[in-house]
Amino acid sequence: MKVNNPVRIVAAGKYLPQKVDSAILEAKYDIPIGWAEKNSGVKSRHMVTFESNAYMGARAIEKALEKAGMKMKDIDLLISAGATYDYPLPNQASVTKSELKDAGDYHVATLDIDTTCLSFVSAFEVAAKMLDGKQYKNIIIVCSEVSTKGLNPNSRETATLFGDAAVAVILQYDESGVSGLIKGGLRTYSEGVEHTIIKGGGNKYFFKDHPYNQDLHSFHMNGIKLLKLAKKKIPEFMDWFFQDLNATIQDVDIIIPHQASKTGLIIFTNLYTLREDVVKGNLVDHGNCISASIPLVLHDLIDSGEIKRGDICMLTGTSAGFSIGGVLIKY
């Protein structure tokens, strides 16, 4: 398959806060022991204690830079790709940059991209098309998510599903043209815009007019409607995505889907006849980490050597809105 945008993943780094077993949450919220693993598919996840989005993101960036043998002076753009943030203003990328050890020494540009769970996928496509070997040679994408603070403890479905994590990935213009973006795409199906939502906190339900209320200001997910819509629209999206490629989803070496939920992953894998061990995941021991889910799996595949240069990989999933997206890359 032809590479359209020559870009190479140089290195990735991650930061995980404290590990918490689902049994602890089940005891805390009076949920039957074993319910989380059976229904949400999550045995454990990581949860912040003192960490902010910026703190976790900065640590992940520093690890990625160390692995690559690079410094911030080598970076042309820092993209924060995610749904959660430390402040409504300024943008999260600038706050994350300020947490780096040498933040004041280099005036690297910062940019935010938010397509919730698909933010890394969207940022990858944008970065790949910006990397030209001239103005942009190296771009860092960082996904740092603190999802556990916005959950409603009265909702078993969501309280047992989510986790916190940060991942940073360094992309570089690939002069050889061997590695790169083959195709990226995103489609939004607005009938699902309120299937996953936090209503409070924005201008429609402004905090001065609507003081904190657990239901209004917590994450809400209509799982049944969401799964029905995903089951209906994912095949439609994949047909559209591959229609102008000389390949099908069965030709992909590695597929990393968003770790949305146990049922969501089952639906995805049951839609297609795929080779054994093509679909990769980590839901059971990390939970749904919003935008950090996909790059977290990618990071671990790179570190373990399971993903190899030349592999054709698809990073794909669904997000609030309701959107389906993906990037097809040659690693």
Side-chain angles (χ1 to χ4, degrees):
M1 281 179 272
K2 179 186 175 184
V3 167
N4 290 307
N5 300 96
V7 55
R8 178 171 167 266
I9 297 173
V10 178
K14 71 179 180 181
Y15 178 91
L16 297 174
Q18 177 180 295
K19 183 178 179 180
V20 177
D21 290 336
S22 289
I24 294 175
L25 294 180
E26 289 164 339
K28 181 178 180 179
Y29 298 130
D30 195 27
I31 299 171
I33 300 299
W35 190 96
E37 187 174 5
K38 179 181 178 182
N39 294 276
S40 298
V42 183
K43 188 175 182 179
S44 64
R45 86 290 318 280
H46 297 264
M47 298 176 66
V48 296
T49 51
F50 68 91
E51 298 95 341
S52 64
N53 288 78
Y55 178 89
M56 294 199 301
R59 304 295 81 79
I61 289 170
E62 288 162 358
K63 288 178 182 178
L65 289 169
E66 182 181 355
K67 287 181 183 177
M70 300 171 71
K71 303 289 185 183
M72 276 304 293
K73 65 181 178 63
D74 302 312
I75 304 302
D76 304 303
L77 177 66
L78 190 164
I79 299 176
S80 174
T84 61
Y85 48 84
D86 291 324
Y87 311 111
L89 200 74
N91 67 315
Q92 185 58 44
S94 64
V95 181
T96 299
K97 177 183 175 293
S98 74
E99 281 277 356
L100 294 167
K101 296 172 184 175
D102 53 357
D105 297 335
Y106 306 107
H107 310 307
V108 177
T110 60
L111 171 70
D112 281 16
I113 292 177
D114 178 7
T115 51
T116 62
C117 299
L118 287 172
S119 297
F120 178 77
V121 171
S122 299
F124 193 106
E125 182 179 3
V126 170
K129 292 176 178 178
M130 292 179 70
L131 285 161
D132 56 6
K134 298 174 184 177
Q135 182 176 358
Y136 296 104
K137 297 178 182 178
N138 300 294
I139 295 177
I140 287 181
I141 301 172
V142 59
C143 301
S144 181
E145 298 282 26
V146 180
S147 64
T148 55
K149 289 190 176 183
L151 302 178
N152 187 336
N154 295 323
S155 170
R156 291 183 182 183
E157 183 181 19
T158 57
T160 60
L161 177 60
F162 289 86
D164 304 329
V167 188
V169 177
I170 302 174
L171 302 185
Q172 185 177 78
Y173 179 77
D174 185 18
E175 294 181 355
S176 71
V178 175
S179 299
L181 175 69
I182 298 167
K183 182 174 181 177
L186 179 76
R187 303 194 101 181
T188 299
Y189 307 89
S190 293
E191 60 263 47
V193 69
E194 292 194 359
H195 291 355
T196 43
I197 193 169
I198 299 176
K199 288 189 174 181
N203 285 326
K204 188 163 185 177
Y205 296 97
F206 197 57
F207 72 95
K208 289 182 179 179
D209 305 315
H210 301 273
Y212 178 76
N213 173 279
Q214 185 165 266
D215 291 330
L216 183 66
H217 292 87
S218 294
F219 175 77
H220 173 75
M221 178 173 71
N222 190 321
I224 294 174
K225 287 187 177 181
L226 197 62
L227 291 168
K228 284 182 178 179
L229 187 58
K231 189 175 182 179
K232 178 183 177 183
K233 296 298 184 181
I234 287 173
E236 179 183 313
F237 171 84
M238 291 299 174
D239 287 345
W240 168 80
F241 188 92
F242 282 96
Q243 66 182 350
D244 58 350
L245 296 174
N246 187 28
T248 67
I249 194 170
Q250 284 81 11
D251 298 313
V252 177
D253 297 312
I254 290 177
I255 299 173
I256 304 177
H258 171 50
Q259 304 298 289
S261 67
K262 178 181 178 179
T263 307
L265 291 171
I266 290 171
I267 287 174
F268 176 80
T269 53
N270 286 346
L271 285 172
Y272 301 98
T273 303
L274 301 168
R275 299 190 311 278
E276 187 178 357
D277 206 31
V278 168
V279 180
K280 307 295 182 180
N282 62 8
L283 181 71
V284 68
D285 50 12
H286 288 81
N288 180 336
C289 297
I290 321 180
S291 73
S293 283
I294 288 174
L296 193 57
V297 177
L298 178 65
H299 170 283
D300 291 348
L301 292 175
I302 293 171
D303 266 19
S304 68
E306 194 170 347
I307 184 173
K308 299 175 177 60
R309 291 293 174 190
D311 282 347
I312 303 299
C313 309
M314 186 166 195
L315 317 180
T316 186
T318 61
S319 68
F322 166 81
S323 296
I324 304 174
V327 288
L328 191 65
I329 66 174
K330 186 175 183 182
Y331 178 72

